[in-house]
Structure formats: structure tokens, C-alpha cells
Amino acid sequence: MYTVRVRKLIEQILKFGVVGIIAFLIDWGILNLLVGVFHMHNVIAATISFLISLIFNYFASMKYVFKHRPDMARWMEMAIFLFSAVVGLFINMVIIWLSTYGMNKDAYISQHAMYLLRTNIGKLISTVVVAIWNFIIRKWLLDDTHTNAMNRLRRGDHILSEEELEAKWERSFSHRLGMWSIEHTPKGWR
């Protein structure tokens, strides 16, 4: 049973990685096009490229990586994804900005090759940091966590009864958030 859970988690991480690699290639390609060819400031270019890759990432993640939770409204899934993306965008912008900190204000023109190199190093670092953030927050709040929560609880030394497991699940933040979202979904949105 433990090996099945580990295998499913590894499979999910691999799917997350494939989606992430494709999203990264979109993000990185657009970033390099905007900075390398059009000499755009790296923070502006990184914001544009991040947002474009985010659209792909949302649809691919919700279709191939994370299961829809029956106890959460779709609009809440989108809100959580948006919150996660805004935090990820902020992390991305700060790391990209720091990557060229201290260079001339017109470095994207006057020191173009070094500016592009440092921007790409910053992009690689931000990609790793944002990917970790996204997986953790999305796994916690967007995945079909009922089964995962039950499995995690069963691993402990004290095996809980089905009623105790269900009570723990019903008290969990992600379940309460999901139920709140269903109760507060406007008519016609389901």
C-alpha cells in the first residue's frame, strides 16, 4: 500500500515536471525573444513571458496533474491558482530584478550580452523556486486531497477508525475552504 502511494506521488511529480518544463520553455523562449531581440527591460519581459506561460500551465496542470476536487467549486480552484500565480510572479520578478541588480540603468542596451546572461541565470533560479512553491500550494489546496489525506493519516502508528478519519478530513482547511466555495457559488456557475 505504501509503495502504491509513493508511486502515485512520483507519477504526479513527473507529470508536474513535464508540464513545468513545457511552461518553462514557453516562458524562457518569450523572455529571451523580448530581452534578446527587442532589448526589453528584463522585469517587464519576464512578467509578460510568465503570464503567457501561466495560461498554458493552468490548463495543463488542471487536466493532467491535479484531479478536480468534488468538494471545491471550479471558481475557487481558479482563485487558488491565481493566488499561487501572483505569488509566483512576485518571486519571479524579484529574482529576475536581483539578477541584474547593480548593472547600469541602460544595461539592457549598453551591456546587452551580460544583461541577457544574468537574466537567464536569474530565470533558472526563479523557475526552481516558483516550481517548488507552486507544487506545494497546489498539492495542498487543489488536488483531490481527500484520498491523500486519508492515506497520510493511515501511515501513523495510531490507525484511526473510518469515523475518526472522516472527522479529521472534515476539519481540514482545504476541505472547509472547498465546502465554503460550493456553498457560496452563485447560481448557474456549477
Tab-separated table of all heavy atoms in Angstrom, residues 150 153 160 163-177 179:
chain	number	residue	atom	x	y	z
A	150	MET	N	-6.446	10.844	3.713
A	150	MET	CA	-6.732	9.560	4.358
A	150	MET	C	-5.478	8.681	4.357
A	150	MET	O	-5.158	8.057	5.356
A	150	MET	CB	-7.860	8.818	3.631
A	150	MET	CG	-9.193	9.522	3.632
A	150	MET	SD	-9.830	9.774	5.293
A	150	MET	CE	-9.983	11.531	5.314
A	153	LEU	N	-2.879	9.898	6.907
A	153	LEU	CA	-3.268	9.616	8.279
A	153	LEU	C	-3.086	8.136	8.621
A	153	LEU	O	-2.781	7.798	9.745
A	153	LEU	CB	-4.715	10.051	8.516
A	153	LEU	CG	-4.936	11.562	8.467
A	153	LEU	CD1	-6.422	11.878	8.492
A	153	LEU	CD2	-4.224	12.248	9.614
A	160	LEU	N	-6.498	5.202	12.727
A	160	LEU	CA	-7.778	5.770	13.126
A	160	LEU	C	-8.922	5.005	12.484
A	160	LEU	O	-8.793	4.447	11.400
A	160	LEU	CB	-7.840	7.240	12.701
A	160	LEU	CG	-6.753	8.152	13.275
A	160	LEU	CD1	-6.860	9.528	12.660
A	160	LEU	CD2	-6.851	8.233	14.786
A	163	GLU	N	-14.536	6.694	11.052
A	163	GLU	CA	-15.224	7.882	11.574
A	163	GLU	C	-14.216	8.950	12.005
A	163	GLU	O	-14.406	10.141	11.752
A	163	GLU	CB	-16.135	7.515	12.767
A	163	GLU	CG	-17.310	6.619	12.419
A	163	GLU	CD	-16.904	5.143	12.296
A	163	GLU	OE1	-15.896	4.722	12.908
A	163	GLU	OE2	-17.600	4.432	11.557
A	164	GLU	N	-13.123	8.523	12.664
A	164	GLU	CA	-12.088	9.474	13.089
A	164	GLU	C	-11.382	10.096	11.878
A	164	GLU	O	-11.091	11.290	11.858
A	164	GLU	CB	-11.056	8.777	13.986
A	164	GLU	CG	-11.592	8.372	15.344
A	164	GLU	CD	-10.616	7.485	16.103
A	164	GLU	OE1	-10.010	6.584	15.480
A	164	GLU	OE2	-10.467	7.707	17.322
A	165	LEU	N	-11.133	9.271	10.867
A	165	LEU	CA	-10.509	9.783	9.652
A	165	LEU	C	-11.406	10.806	8.960
A	165	LEU	O	-10.947	11.857	8.528
A	165	LEU	CB	-10.206	8.639	8.685
A	165	LEU	CG	-9.064	7.712	9.060
A	165	LEU	CD1	-9.046	6.508	8.128
A	165	LEU	CD2	-7.753	8.441	9.034
A	166	GLU	N	-12.681	10.486	8.870
A	166	GLU	CA	-13.630	11.402	8.230
A	166	GLU	C	-13.739	12.701	9.013
A	166	GLU	O	-13.790	13.780	8.428
A	166	GLU	CB	-15.006	10.730	8.093
A	166	GLU	CG	-15.969	11.477	7.214
A	166	GLU	CD	-15.513	11.583	5.756
A	166	GLU	OE1	-14.822	10.679	5.261
A	166	GLU	OE2	-15.852	12.601	5.134
A	167	ALA	N	-13.742	12.617	10.340
A	167	ALA	CA	-13.804	13.820	11.174
A	167	ALA	C	-12.571	14.695	10.960
A	167	ALA	O	-12.668	15.920	10.870
A	167	ALA	CB	-13.954	13.442	12.641
A	168	LYS	N	-11.399	14.062	10.879
A	168	LYS	CA	-10.167	14.827	10.627
A	168	LYS	C	-10.236	15.506	9.270
A	168	LYS	O	-9.836	16.652	9.128
A	168	LYS	CB	-8.936	13.916	10.690
A	168	LYS	CG	-8.412	13.700	12.079
A	168	LYS	CD	-7.024	13.089	11.979
A	168	LYS	CE	-6.385	13.001	13.323
A	168	LYS	NZ	-5.777	14.223	13.763
A	169	TRP	N	-10.716	14.784	8.268
A	169	TRP	CA	-10.838	15.359	6.938
A	169	TRP	C	-11.792	16.561	6.951
A	169	TRP	O	-11.494	17.600	6.369
A	169	TRP	CB	-11.316	14.316	5.942
A	169	TRP	CG	-11.751	14.921	4.650
A	169	TRP	CD1	-12.999	14.932	4.129
A	169	TRP	CD2	-10.938	15.631	3.718
A	169	TRP	NE1	-13.020	15.602	2.944
A	169	TRP	CE2	-11.749	16.041	2.673
A	169	TRP	CE3	-9.587	15.965	3.674
A	169	TRP	CZ2	-11.280	16.764	1.583
A	169	TRP	CZ3	-9.120	16.684	2.594
A	169	TRP	CH2	-9.957	17.072	1.568
A	170	GLU	N	-12.916	16.410	7.613
A	170	GLU	CA	-13.901	17.490	7.638
A	170	GLU	C	-13.380	18.727	8.358
A	170	GLU	O	-13.824	19.832	8.090
A	170	GLU	CB	-15.211	17.004	8.254
A	170	GLU	CG	-15.951	16.059	7.328
A	170	GLU	CD	-17.204	15.473	7.931
A	170	GLU	OE1	-17.551	15.830	9.087
A	170	GLU	OE2	-17.851	14.655	7.251
A	171	ARG	N	-12.421	18.573	9.255
A	171	ARG	CA	-11.826	19.713	9.961
A	171	ARG	C	-10.649	20.326	9.200
A	171	ARG	O	-10.154	21.376	9.570
A	171	ARG	CB	-11.354	19.296	11.360
A	171	ARG	CG	-12.487	19.044	12.342
A	171	ARG	CD	-11.971	18.880	13.761
A	171	ARG	NE	-10.904	17.910	13.909
A	171	ARG	CZ	-11.056	16.620	14.189
A	171	ARG	NH1	-12.257	16.132	14.382
A	171	ARG	NH2	-10.018	15.815	14.312
A	172	SER	N	-10.192	19.672	8.135
A	172	SER	CA	-9.022	20.172	7.405
A	172	SER	C	-9.343	21.494	6.713
A	172	SER	O	-10.465	21.743	6.280
A	172	SER	CB	-8.537	19.143	6.385
A	172	SER	OG	-9.420	19.083	5.292
A	173	PHE	N	-8.335	22.338	6.596
A	173	PHE	CA	-8.514	23.654	5.971
A	173	PHE	C	-8.952	23.534	4.518
A	173	PHE	O	-9.869	24.219	4.072
A	173	PHE	CB	-7.207	24.460	6.058
A	173	PHE	CG	-7.286	25.763	5.339
A	173	PHE	CD1	-7.985	26.826	5.891
A	173	PHE	CD2	-6.678	25.929	4.105
A	173	PHE	CE1	-8.085	28.034	5.222
A	173	PHE	CE2	-6.773	27.132	3.430
A	173	PHE	CZ	-7.480	28.193	3.989
A	174	SER	N	-8.316	22.644	3.766
A	174	SER	CA	-8.634	22.542	2.341
A	174	SER	C	-10.075	22.073	2.120
A	174	SER	O	-10.757	22.574	1.230
A	174	SER	CB	-7.644	21.622	1.620
A	174	SER	OG	-7.663	20.340	2.172
A	175	HIS	N	-10.551	21.162	2.936
A	175	HIS	CA	-11.932	20.696	2.795
A	175	HIS	C	-12.908	21.808	3.175
A	175	HIS	O	-13.898	22.040	2.475
A	175	HIS	CB	-12.172	19.450	3.649
A	175	HIS	CG	-13.584	18.975	3.615
A	175	HIS	ND1	-14.133	18.401	2.493
A	175	HIS	CD2	-14.567	19.011	4.547
A	175	HIS	CE1	-15.391	18.093	2.744
A	175	HIS	NE2	-15.673	18.448	3.982
A	176	ARG	N	-12.628	22.495	4.282
A	176	ARG	CA	-13.525	23.582	4.699
A	176	ARG	C	-13.559	24.691	3.650
A	176	ARG	O	-14.613	25.246	3.355
A	176	ARG	CB	-13.125	24.128	6.063
A	176	ARG	CG	-13.479	23.145	7.194
A	176	ARG	CD	-13.217	23.684	8.573
A	176	ARG	NE	-11.765	23.765	8.758
A	176	ARG	CZ	-11.135	24.774	9.336
A	176	ARG	NH1	-11.797	25.800	9.792
A	176	ARG	NH2	-9.826	24.755	9.471
A	177	LEU	N	-12.409	25.000	3.071
A	177	LEU	CA	-12.351	26.006	2.015
A	177	LEU	C	-13.170	25.546	0.802
A	177	LEU	O	-13.930	26.331	0.220
A	177	LEU	CB	-10.898	26.251	1.606
A	177	LEU	CG	-10.664	27.268	0.502
A	177	LEU	CD1	-11.088	28.663	0.964
A	177	LEU	CD2	-9.194	27.269	0.100
A	179	MET	N	-15.696	23.367	0.722
A	179	MET	CA	-17.124	23.369	1.038
A	179	MET	C	-17.667	24.797	1.068
A	179	MET	O	-18.778	25.051	0.607
A	179	MET	CB	-17.380	22.643	2.364
A	179	MET	CG	-17.083	21.156	2.311
A	179	MET	SD	-17.879	20.287	0.923
A	179	MET	CE	-19.586	20.430	1.384
